[in-house]
Amino acid sequence: MPISTPAEPRQSAEPQGTYPLVVVSNRLPVDHEVNPDGSDAWRTSPGGLVTALEPLMQASDGAWVGWPGVADRSFDPFEKNGISIIPVRLSALELEQFYEGFSNDTLWPLYHDVIAPPSYHREWWDSYVAVNRRFAERAASAAARGATVWVHDYQLQLVPRMLREARPDLLIGFFNHIPFPPYGIYAQLPWRKQILDGLLGADLIGFQRVADAGNFSLAVRRLFGYPTRGVAIDVPDAAGSRRVIAKHFPISIDAASYEALARRPDIQERARQIRADLGNPGTIMLGVDRLDYTKGIGHRIKAFGELLEDGSLSVEDVTLVQVASPSRERVGTYMALRDEIELAVGRLNGDYSTISHTAISYHHHGYPREEMVALYLAADVMLVTALRDGMNLVAKEYVAVRFDGDGVLVLSEFAGAADELKQAILINPHDIDGVKAAILRAIAMPQNERTRRMRALRRKVFDNDVAAWSASFLRTLTEGAVVRAGVPDKLAEALREISGAPTLLVALDFDGTLAPHVDRPEEARAVAGTREAVQRLLDLPGVRVAFVSGRALVSLQHVAQPQSDVLLTGSHGIEVQLDTPEIELDLVAAELEQLDALAGVLDRIAGTTSGTWIERKPAGLALHTRLATPQDGLAAQRQAREQTEQLLPGLTIREGKNVLEFSVRASSKGDALARLRDHTGADRVLYAGDDVTDEDAFAVLREGDIGLKIGPGVSLAGYRVRGPGEVTEVLRLLADFRAGASDSAT
Ligand code: GDG
């Protein structure tokens, strides 16, 4: 997918670079080495992320911003394999405070359900802020105007906000590789609001699991009170509000390259060799992990030890190979963990190994990938017993390697991979008896069941490989960023299709859809040609036209001056005028009382903030802040939220562009559209709107209907045009198709 620079991105006064795609991650995809002559050398580190992004970055002239892995050294940008590498310097102190400290001893344990206690140190936090700022500055000066920037992982959660402030023209994505904890745990973090705010600078925030995205949205609701709906979060900003999407994008591996390695005869030979070297046991079980307390290595060893102890297994029949690759060796918790694991391994081997058979073949090193693949091939049972894990790529690698359709995966339900790899034997690693039972079941599993499960697992892993993952993330991020002029072909096609419906409802928002937004709402007018296009539709048999607005109906009538047979709904569906001269509205006495109290609160706020005013609506009030300074506007909105939440809990609060609406009756444009569909008996609906409130209407559209979003921004609508001028064109085109259809029918 080529990444192109949008034609008309948001303006920015900051210095900018030339790269249309910039990836930012703590570590660069290259490792620094020193040649024998003392000169610098760079070796590509073969992670899945690089493999996935390399072709894309080569094709679209991408840059990668990150730390090269050595402290206290500055390196000039350079090119490696067609990717521009922009190294960020970290001092030895920053490595200690930002990386080993705040990232790996505060955030890592906190985000992994406090399996180990997180340490909170203010100087670590200061270092985290300073280093994030440096990364953001490097990315900002590398990115071209309107570029896409993709920031990775928990070490850099402040970068999205810092980038947005420096470069509002950028499209910013963030992906969190580790879990996002439930609110009860997250709330411990002394800097919980700053981190959320940092992340909310992004347009798209990706997580591994549905639950992670849900935890994040809940934290945003609890700590900021921003409205969230499904994957959408509406974040107030100077222009009114900005839509941020928080959604799961389960990461994967380059499955084909693992299979290719597994098919190499030398690697298969190596797998046989490993088996022989282990004394040809009936079953080889394997664990491969960074030596980390989240991976549940101790639980695995305990279960295996008990099986040996109670005689269910013997070392002649079963060997456990445990690769524990060195990790974060300067962090205290990791030193303690290493001692703990090695003590357990030593005890178990002392108790059960024989001269010819070792219970646990334990390896505290990193191996080349070829050796890892040979181990996967040799392993009859793969044990993934993580207590908490964002995804766990090892599980997916094992599956990708097993082209022979054999092998059993035992997988913790606390690893993200469990959401997809349901045909594994799923376990709760805390339940040692359960783990023991799963191990015995895996060892005894009949061949046909092993093959059936492995085939299903392989389909999952190959269908969503790392290339599909990155493409899906970037597609979601970049779609809707740039809207070209004119009516897209796909939309024209859909209009032709819908034009044949026996009864067709054309439901249109007014402000921003038929009329450009203006500072003074009473001056809004539909663009030239709209009235004629609407009249042409009204004249066609079986077509109904409706205006669906957040405005009070009188105000809508004033600005839209609709033809008498246009159906009208105002105040987000609270008022309707459907083929009668009367406006329908019913409020009970309690709602009228709430309305008075609300007016009291908002009048006081508007009276003390210049540039804000109150609009009275039939079932609520709106606080407009368009003419206030952005700070005053936001402060007034915040005050209004806080005071009404205290005094009148349960009010519906809706946020639009520079306006906060409170209503005593919960109703949305979705309700309005449902009512209109009912009233007209329409078979098909075209709904067009530009605002976040129109998303409620898009959400109730059915298959075959058309949702048309006006302007940029993430939306549930299937189609998009640039502005009101295009909407008029769409209405004309629809009338043409409909007239053509009825001509050919007669
Ligand atoms: C984080 C999240 C998420 C391990 N030892 C050796 C070696 N490895 C490779 C594995 C695998 C990778 O390291 C480990 O990936 P995991 O996903 O298992 O775990 P984390 O390192 O904790 O990664 C995790 C991931 O980010 C991606 O988003 O899945 O949940 O914690 O690829 O094969 N590779 C080689 N030698 C070793 O000794 N060559």
Side-chain angles (χ1 to χ4, degrees):
M1 184 190 4
I3 302 280
S4 59
T5 306
E8 290 175 53
R10 291 161 274 174
Q11 294 293 317
S12 138
E14 295 294 318
Q16 57 196 28
T18 54
Y19 298 103
L21 173 63
V22 179
V23 172
V24 190
S25 65
N26 178 54
R27 277 303 304 273
L28 281 169
V30 289
D31 287 324
H32 176 255
E33 284 174 352
V34 181
N35 287 325
D37 65 359
S39 61
D40 295 316
W42 298 96
R43 197 170 41 89
T44 307
S45 47
L49 199 57
V50 201
T51 321
L53 295 178
E54 204 172 60
L56 191 65
M57 295 194 78
Q58 288 162 345
S60 51
D61 188 17
W64 200 309
V65 174
W67 178 56
V70 270
D72 278 333
R73 285 208 50 190
S74 305
F75 298 99
D76 288 333
F78 60 94
E79 202 179 301
K80 178 88 182 172
N81 299 339
I83 301 178
S84 299
I85 303 285
I86 304 181
V88 177
R89 181 191 166 98
L90 289 188
S91 70
L93 184 65
E94 285 166 340
L95 196 61
E96 206 181 301
Q97 300 188 324
F98 149 76
Y99 181 66
E100 291 164 350
F102 199 79
S103 298
N104 290 335
D105 208 13
T106 303
L107 293 174
W108 179 271
L110 182 77
Y111 280 31
H112 287 89
D113 286 357
V114 297
I115 296 168
S119 310
Y120 302 116
H121 295 294
R122 282 164 283 187
E123 60 278 22
W124 289 3
W125 163 252
D126 293 342
S127 179
Y128 187 80
V129 176
V131 171
N132 271 250
R133 176 144 295 123
R134 193 169 315 140
F135 274 82
E137 281 164 4
R138 296 313 293 266
S141 59
R145 190 157 173 247
T148 300
V149 182
W150 190 0
V151 184
H152 288 265
D153 230 356
Y154 61 102
Q155 303 93 348
L156 301 176
Q157 293 174 97
L158 303 177
V159 170
R161 168 70 63 199
M162 291 169 169
L163 256 181
R164 177 166 300 281
E165 272 162 15
R167 295 285 307 274
D169 58 302
L170 299 177
L171 206 53
I172 304 167
F174 179 91
F175 185 77
N176 195 51
H177 289 254
I178 66 173
F180 195 89
Y183 183 72
I185 290 177
Y186 182 73
Q188 281 188 15
L189 184 66
W191 307 277
R192 59 196 187 182
K193 282 189 110 172
Q194 290 93 317
I195 295 271
L196 286 191
D197 185 58
L199 289 169
L200 287 171
D203 297 287
L204 175 63
I205 309 173
F207 295 92
Q208 302 279 28
R209 306 180 90 158
V210 178
D212 298 321
N215 289 344
F216 174 76
S217 295
L218 182 61
V220 170
R221 266 204 311 281
R222 294 285 296 268
L223 291 170
F224 289 105
Y226 299 158
T228 66
R229 188 190 165 86
V231 298
I233 302 174
D234 293 321
V235 180
D237 72 355
S241 87
R242 201 167 56 77
R243 167 127 325 170
V244 175
I245 296 289
K247 187 179 173 295
H248 65 290
F249 291 88
I251 199 172
S252 193
I253 56 164
D254 182 12
S257 78
Y258 275 90
E259 173 165 344
L261 281 176
R263 285 184 182 275
R264 260 171 49 183
D266 57 327
I267 291 183
Q268 292 179 21
E269 178 49 35
R270 174 65 193 145
R272 280 189 288 274
Q273 183 69 44
I274 289 171
R275 203 168 190 103
D277 289 351
L278 290 167
N280 280 319
T283 301
I284 295 177
M285 300 202 294
L286 175 66
V288 170
D289 314 82
R290 274 187 311 97
L291 185 46
D292 194 297
Y293 49 83
T294 59
K295 306 287 182 184
I297 303 173
H299 292 61
R300 187 181 312 167
I301 291 173
K302 186 172 175 59
F304 182 49
E306 288 189 13
L307 288 169
L308 292 174
E309 190 185 352
D310 63 26
S312 310
L313 298 178
S314 79
V315 292
E316 280 77 26
D317 298 331
V318 182
T319 295
L320 170 62
V321 178
Q322 177 63 55
V323 175
S325 41
S327 184
R328 305 174 190 170
E329 291 181 292
R330 292 175 4 153
V331 178
T333 334
Y334 287 76
M335 296 177 197
L337 173 77
R338 181 173 177 194
D339 288 347
E340 191 188 303
I341 296 294
E342 295 185 354
L343 185 70
V345 170
R347 282 224 173 113
L348 215 124
N349 278 341
D351 286 345
Y352 300 104
S353 295
T354 62
I355 297 291
S356 53
H357 290 95
T358 308
I360 304 184
S361 172
Y362 173 81
H363 309 272
H364 183 247
H365 355 261
Y367 286 108
R369 191 186 282 202
E370 287 75 5
E371 182 73 357
M372 304 291 295
V373 171
L375 281 165
Y376 290 145
L377 272 178
D380 306 293
V381 176
M382 182 80 212
L383 296 178
V384 176
T385 56
L387 305 176
R388 183 53 84 195
D389 212 337
M391 176 54 58
N392 196 292
L393 298 181
V394 165
K396 292 190 169 181
E397 289 164 6
Y398 179 65
V399 167
V401 159
R402 299 314 298 247
F403 68 91
D404 56 355
D406 209 346
V408 182
L409 174 64
V410 174
L411 176 61
S412 163
E413 60 193 59
F414 297 108
D419 281 1
E420 295 166 275
L421 304 184
K422 295 215 160 62
Q423 290 80 8
I425 300 187
L426 294 179
I427 50 147
N428 168 6
H430 298 280
D431 169 12
I432 298 294
D433 285 339
V435 178
K436 288 164 67 182
I439 289 177
L440 293 177
R441 182 168 166 215
I443 292 173
M445 189 179 283
Q447 172 76 53
N448 59 357
E449 186 181 349
R450 296 205 297 264
T451 313
R452 186 168 45 74
R453 285 174 182 264
M454 188 50 83
R455 278 213 189 108
L457 291 171
R458 287 174 61 75
R459 258 198 304 280
K460 273 277 172 210
V461 172
F462 281 82
D463 282 353
N464 179 34
D465 67 359
V466 74
W469 166 79
S470 61
S472 140
F473 184 91
L474 286 170
R475 204 182 316 112
T476 311
L477 177 60
T478 52
E479 253 174 24
V482 195
V483 190
R484 291 177 207 291
V487 177
D489 290 349
K490 257 178 62 194
L491 172 58
E493 196 49 47
L495 290 169
R496 180 192 297 281
E497 215 259 309
I498 205 177
S499 71
T503 310
L504 178 62
L505 169 63
V506 180
L508 308 162
D509 165 49
F510 184 74
D511 295 275
T513 298
L514 298 180
H517 281 289
V518 286
D519 276 346
R520 299 163 64 88
E522 65 277 14
E523 288 173 3
R525 291 295 177 270
V527 294
T530 306
R531 192 174 179 80
E532 293 70 27
V534 166
Q535 189 60 53
R536 281 195 57 204
L537 286 168
L538 288 170
D539 290 343
L540 288 163
V543 180
R544 302 301 318 260
V545 179
F547 292 169
V548 180
S549 178
R551 286 177 183 257
L553 260 197
V554 260
S555 155
L556 177 63
Q557 280 163 332
H558 171 71
V559 291
Q561 294 169 8
Q563 289 93 328
S564 60
D565 41 356
V566 171
L567 306 167
L568 299 177
T569 81
S571 308
H572 302 283
I574 287 165
E575 298 175 283
V576 290
Q577 192 177 26
L578 309 177
D579 293 320
T580 60
E582 289 85 40
I583 294 178
E584 263 184 66
L585 160 84
D586 54 341
L587 287 177
V588 296
E591 287 170 330
L592 290 168
E593 271 169 32
Q594 279 193 316
L595 210 52
D596 281 347
L598 177 66
V601 171
L602 296 188
D603 275 340
R604 267 197 303 281
I605 293 170
T608 51
T609 316
S610 67
T612 68
W613 70 97
I614 302 297
E615 182 194 350
R616 278 160 206 278
K617 300 199 164 193
L621 283 108
L623 173 67
H624 289 270
T625 55
R626 184 167 309 158
L627 300 181
T629 64
Q631 293 89 330
D632 286 356
L634 280 179
Q637 292 200 3
R638 202 174 313 118
Q639 263 183 28
R641 264 183 200 284
E642 285 168 5
Q643 294 182 18
T644 50
E645 260 161 33
Q646 261 180 16
L647 214 77
L648 299 158
L651 286 189
T652 302
I653 307 180
R654 208 178 280 111
E655 199 157 327
K657 286 180 183 142
N658 288 313
V659 56
L660 199 59
E661 289 190 31
F662 298 84
S663 75
V664 296
R665 172 74 62 87
S667 173
S668 74
K669 288 184 175 177
D671 301 321
L673 187 56
R675 177 101 193 253
L676 285 167
R677 197 197 284 272
D678 236 32
H679 177 77
T680 55
D683 305 284
R684 293 288 181 87
V685 174
L686 162 79
Y687 185 89
D690 74 309
D691 197 24
V692 290
T693 58
D694 295 303
E695 294 300 317
D696 295 333
F698 293 135
V700 300
L701 290 178
R702 300 178 187 163
E703 208 183 320
D705 292 343
I706 295 180
L708 180 59
K709 161 88 176 167
I710 319 306
V714 185
S715 171
L716 297 173
Y719 301 89
R720 192 186 293 272
V721 291
R722 194 169 65 172
E726 276 82 9
V727 177
T728 306
E729 233 180 288
V730 163
L731 299 180
R732 272 196 217 111
L733 203 58
L734 183 60
D736 287 349
F737 287 142
R738 178 88 182 176
S742 36
D743 284 354
S744 53
T746 50

